[in-house]
Amino acid sequence: MSTTAAASVEEKKMRPPEGWREEVDASVRWPVIAFIASGTFWLIVGSVLALLASFKFNHPEWLVEQASLTFGRVRPAHLQTMIFGWVSMTGFGVLTWLWARLLKTKMRFGWLQLVSVAVWNVAMVIGTIALLAGFSRSIEWVEFPLFVYIIIIGAIAIAALPLFEMLRRRRVHHLYVSIWYIGAALLWGPFLLITFSLPIYEGVAHATANWWFAHNILGLWITPVGLAAAYYFIPKVIGRPIYSYHLSILGFWTLALFYNWAGLHHLVGGPAPQWGVTISIVFSVMMVIPVVVVALNHHMTAFGSLKAVLRSPTLRFIVFGAMSYTAVSLQGSFMSFRFWQEITHFTHHTVGHAHLGVYAFATMVLFGSIYYIMPRLTQWEWRSSRLINLHFWTTALGIGMYVVALTIGGILQGMTLLDTSATFMEAQFITEPWLYARSIGGTLMTVGHLIFGYLLYSIILKKGPELEGPVYFAPVLRSGASSSSAS
Amino acid sequence: MIRASVLFVGSLAAILMSFVALSVFPAVQLMEIEPTEGRIDYNFAESQGRQVYMREGCIYCHTQQVRPDGFGNDIGRGWGTRGSEPGDYVFDFPHLLGTMRTGPDLADIGQRQPSRDWHLSHFYNPRSVSEGSLMPSYPYLFEIKSEAEVLASDVVVNVPEAFAPDEGVIVAKEDVLNLYAYLMTLKQDPTN
């Protein structure tokens, strides 16, 4: 086709010089490391808060003397440090690296991102202390004081400036699918934070805005970065192109058009206008389209390269994440139905679902991305494949236990609440063994995070032995794979 | 895709539509709504108590919304007599509808359990009145005084022997009294 030919001519004209990868990586090195290291710090803080909250379910008399450690304060502090610290900051590091690699151009004004990291961290410290000190706004997903979000919006804007400059100076003709997701998320994230901060909601309308916002932070800020990384790393590490370009276009635009309508399914059966809830249920079900499309694209690319998935730390984490995305999204569509929500709404089932999304999908994809990115930024290898392996199995088994326990425990809780002959306390008692299992799963995940933190610390400071080549789980026998295609 | 402008304009347009439809439109629709009969704005102590409810994160285990007849078992549990309506919440910002029922719904707690003694004992240690409860104790909302220190204006909390401190008496701080005052505003059809 002539358009393809013209495009390839364009592509040739813009082709970057030899050695561009090293040049591009060097330009983003410190901002990306700073974002990833900060995010990992918040991951560990968030894990400690999570364990506190989880163990309090098992031992309600544990640590009740200190107001700052009461369940109702550590629980929002956990959520906020994980979402706006770990996922958002690490996500920003990963998206910056992807952006530079895919536009094949150096980052200028990288110091702006370092300023952003510093400002963002200060906001996180203030926000977390404020919650523990008793200054929660008590709005789920946005508990920090309002001015903390204003600072975070500013930090995102500052960090995005060099990215838009790079878009202008890009040395590619065609924008890869990961760029679409990241570019859109850079608009969606701040848009959500700004519009929900407007002083125009009260009463029930505040609840509808709250769930429009909260569901979209997951769908339009966290999910796009996870999908962008999966779209980049799966074909990259395996060494063959994505299954279908047309499916990737369809998947992106259907997500952009459907996802942002889905949030009000959180208000089924409540006082909110039911027309809004019904719209959200319809769009939740329509989300099956982008999900199946993306699933086909990711899984068909990985299909047949099972050995690569087993050998490469990056692929193992990312394929786990991509499969979780398919699972959590299909589950989410199903969970929006009224007959199912009658059981599962207001139970631990929803908490299990949230962790399947933010952890089994987004967090695992971020881990996998970091295993690929860091050796290229530091020119150093991960110190131990056994520790990476241990990180994978503790987190994979941990989140597996977590999700299974709360999914089943939540259904039992919901059925007992519906049972007219059961007392309310019976609905609580039936969850208790599952809440123990959740604590064990959470402990495993936290052990994994500490291992990951140690590995990250080692590679940034170039500790450990100097290795000849990339770290794999098993020896790679097939020769000919270029050194930049796997880690 | 080749042009970044298509991407940015397209994705902004997409989110703008749902923002207007699902955030702005309900706000406009509910702006002029009348409060449920008998419901009045919070007085000072009640709004202070609402702040305590927010600060201690009560929403993470308690909802304030009764499901309507035929959907769930809320009315059967005695949590209310009808489904909650927007008029029940006109004085609420932020909303405290909640999403979790580790503990029971509180939309009608002011009528279901009006006893101050019960609530204060429950806040001091939930297991003192509700065996096996998973709710945390809130000892920091109380102080332990010796008999001699107790003022005439103090509210002394009576808890069962097994939960009482070894020495002295339990006195409720202002925060927990305000919290109780707030809970007592949570009534469906307050004129009844």
Side-chain angles (χ1 to χ4, degrees):
Chain A
M1 281 186 293
S2 61
T3 48
T4 325
S8 80
V9 170
E10 277 295 315
E11 204 74 54
K12 276 201 186 99
K13 253 193 285 178
M14 300 175 93
R15 180 173 291 169
E18 282 298 311
W20 66 268
R21 284 189 185 85
E22 288 73 14
E23 179 199 22
V24 164
D25 281 355
S27 75
V28 297
R29 176 177 298 143
W30 291 110
V32 171
I33 291 178
F35 266 123
I36 290 175
S38 302
T40 305
F41 169 77
W42 290 110
L43 172 71
I44 291 168
V45 173
S47 305
V48 172
L49 293 165
L51 286 184
L52 277 171
S54 187
F55 285 129
K56 279 166 176 282
F57 274 102
N58 314 131
H59 301 284
E61 284 297 312
W62 184 53
L63 291 179
V64 291
E65 296 290 336
Q66 299 83 355
S68 56
L69 296 180
T70 192
F71 172 79
R73 298 191 190 186
V74 293
R75 191 245 190 238
H78 157 66
L79 188 138
Q80 295 285 281
T81 49
M82 287 304 195
I83 298 302
F84 292 104
W86 159 244
V87 179
S88 296
M89 295 190 81
T90 309
F92 219 103
V94 169
L95 74 83
T96 297
W97 186 86
L98 289 171
W99 192 262
R101 274 289 182 107
L102 286 165
L103 299 179
K104 303 186 179 178
T105 186
K106 277 197 304 193
M107 179 155 77
R108 292 167 180 78
F109 312 109
W111 57 271
L112 281 174
Q113 284 211 337
L114 290 173
V115 171
S116 166
V117 174
V119 171
W120 198 327
N121 275 320
V122 169
M124 289 302 302
V125 170
I126 297 172
T128 309
I129 292 176
L131 284 186
L132 298 180
F135 295 95
S136 171
R137 289 200 297 157
S138 198
I139 307 169
E140 274 193 80
W141 288 71
V142 265
E143 286 95 341
F144 283 161
L146 186 59
F147 75 91
V148 170
Y149 297 102
I150 296 172
I151 302 175
I152 291 176
I153 294 166
I156 294 174
I158 295 170
L161 283 177
L163 301 183
F164 288 113
E165 165 70 9
M166 287 157 82
L167 194 61
R168 231 166 48 80
R169 294 173 179 270
R170 64 181 182 267
R171 292 191 293 206
V172 290
H173 177 64
H174 180 260
L175 298 173
Y176 184 63
V177 52
S178 301
I179 293 287
W180 317 340
Y181 280 105
I182 295 170
L186 288 174
L187 296 186
W188 287 334
F191 182 92
L192 290 167
L193 282 167
I194 292 168
T195 50
F196 185 59
S197 302
L198 299 175
I200 57 173
Y201 320 105
E202 54 190 25
V204 167
H206 190 225
T208 54
N210 189 178
W211 288 107
W212 173 82
F213 168 89
H215 202 78
N216 283 340
I217 278 288
L218 183 66
L220 301 179
W221 173 243
I222 297 172
T223 298
V225 177
L227 292 183
Y231 260 119
Y232 179 83
F233 288 112
I234 293 175
K236 182 78 175 174
V237 178
I238 288 175
R240 66 170 178 213
I242 199 78
Y243 177 67
S244 161
Y245 170 73
H246 295 286
L247 282 184
S248 60
I249 290 202
L250 180 67
F252 173 78
W253 285 112
T254 46
L255 177 130
L257 287 169
F258 299 166
Y259 213 140
N260 53 49
W261 292 84
L264 302 199
H265 60 221
H266 283 267
L267 298 163
V268 164
Q274 290 298 302
W275 60 263
V277 177
T278 303
I279 289 178
S280 278
I281 295 174
V282 171
F283 276 93
S284 301
V285 175
M286 281 161 67
M287 274 302 292
V288 168
I289 298 170
V291 167
V292 168
V293 162
V294 168
L296 268 178
N297 237 353
H298 287 168
H299 305 325
M300 290 305 282
T301 309
F303 188 73
S305 301
L306 191 65
K307 278 186 181 156
V309 175
L310 291 179
R311 284 193 187 116
S312 154
T314 295
L315 260 194
R316 199 191 279 182
F317 276 99
I318 287 186
V319 169
F320 184 98
M323 286 164 58
S324 302
Y325 176 69
T326 311
V328 74
S329 305
L330 295 178
Q331 185 199 21
S333 297
F334 181 70
M335 281 172 73
S336 70
F337 287 120
R338 282 190 166 88
F339 79 91
W340 189 242
Q341 281 221 39
E342 190 172 8
I343 301 169
T344 62
H345 198 197
F346 305 134
T347 72
H348 295 291
H349 190 80
T350 315
V351 182
H353 173 68
H355 284 78
L356 189 55
V358 177
Y359 197 96
F361 161 50
T363 293
M364 294 301 258
V365 167
L366 288 177
F367 285 143
S369 308
I370 294 168
Y371 280 123
Y372 188 95
I373 294 171
M374 287 304 294
R376 284 156 181 81
L377 291 180
T378 58
Q379 306 289 316
W380 199 258
E381 291 302 330
W382 296 102
R383 74 184 302 159
S384 156
S385 76
R386 286 178 62 196
L387 284 182
I388 301 176
N389 205 20
L390 199 58
H391 173 215
F392 177 78
W393 286 109
T394 47
T395 50
L397 284 176
I399 189 62
M401 273 186 80
Y402 187 112
V403 172
V404 169
L406 290 195
T407 301
I408 299 173
I411 292 174
L412 294 175
Q413 180 190 9
M415 309 247 284
T416 315
L417 282 172
L418 290 185
D419 181 353
T420 45
S421 65
T423 63
F424 180 81
M425 290 308 285
E426 285 174 49
Q428 182 208 291
F429 294 144
I430 205 164
T431 63
E432 287 180 16
W434 305 100
L435 293 173
Y436 265 104
R438 184 258 294 268
S439 291
I440 298 169
T443 307
L444 276 173
M445 287 146 76
T446 306
V447 169
H449 301 160
L450 293 173
I451 296 169
F452 174 70
Y454 172 69
L455 284 168
L456 192 68
Y457 158 84
S458 298
I459 198 168
I460 292 173
L461 297 184
K462 304 196 176 183
K463 304 265 180 189
E466 192 161 350
L467 300 176
E468 298 265 305
V471 171
Y472 296 99
F473 288 135
V476 176
L477 302 173
R478 184 171 52 97
S479 60
S482 82
S483 63
S484 67
S485 70
S487 172
Chain B
M1 279 189 287
I2 294 162
R3 278 185 304 183
S5 53
V6 175
L7 167 73
F8 290 137
V9 173
S11 29
L12 258 190
I15 196 170
L16 201 59
M17 282 192 288
S18 78
F19 166 61
V20 171
L22 298 184
S23 264
V24 177
F25 200 72
V28 173
Q29 185 190 0
L30 298 173
M31 201 158 41
E32 299 298 323
I33 203 150
E34 290 292 319
T36 313
E37 199 188 336
R39 189 164 289 275
I40 51 170
D41 205 351
Y42 303 106
N43 68 26
F44 182 75
E46 290 158 0
S47 64
Q48 290 295 302
R50 198 167 192 271
Q51 292 292 325
V52 176
Y53 190 97
M54 290 160 55
R55 174 184 97 190
E56 306 303 347
C58 305
I59 59 161
Y60 303 107
C61 295
H62 295 281
T63 52
Q64 290 185 15
Q65 46 177 320
V66 179
R67 288 168 153 195
D69 199 16
F71 189 77
N73 186 25
D74 293 15
I75 294 171
R77 289 205 173 279
W79 288 349
T81 50
R82 57 168 173 84
S84 295
E85 289 162 10
D88 301 343
Y89 303 94
V90 281
F91 302 110
D92 286 10
F93 183 87
H95 80 92
L96 301 174
L97 290 182
T99 49
M100 185 65 167
R101 286 178 173 171
T102 305
D105 186 82
L106 299 179
D108 196 36
I109 188 67
Q111 283 178 124
R112 195 166 81 237
Q113 180 50 279
S115 162
R116 187 171 76 171
D117 283 345
W118 187 92
H119 279 289
L120 293 179
S121 184
H122 186 251
F123 283 127
Y124 181 74
N125 188 325
R127 283 149 293 283
S128 69
V129 288
S130 175
E131 196 188 339
S133 167
L134 281 187
M135 180 165 147
S137 303
Y138 295 89
Y140 55 87
L141 297 177
F142 300 84
E143 46 185 332
I144 308 295
K145 287 185 174 180
S146 68
E147 303 262 0
E149 289 172 327
V150 175
L151 306 174
S153 57
D154 279 345
V155 176
V156 173
V157 183
N158 297 309
V159 299
E161 193 72 35
F163 298 90
D166 296 338
E167 278 176 39
V169 292
I170 306 161
V171 173
K173 288 186 187 170
E174 198 182 353
D175 274 352
V176 76
L177 293 173
N178 289 340
L179 180 56
Y180 169 74
Y182 167 64
L183 290 186
M184 291 307 109
T185 68
L186 299 176
K187 291 178 180 171
Q188 276 200 330
D189 307 311
T191 43
N192 290 345

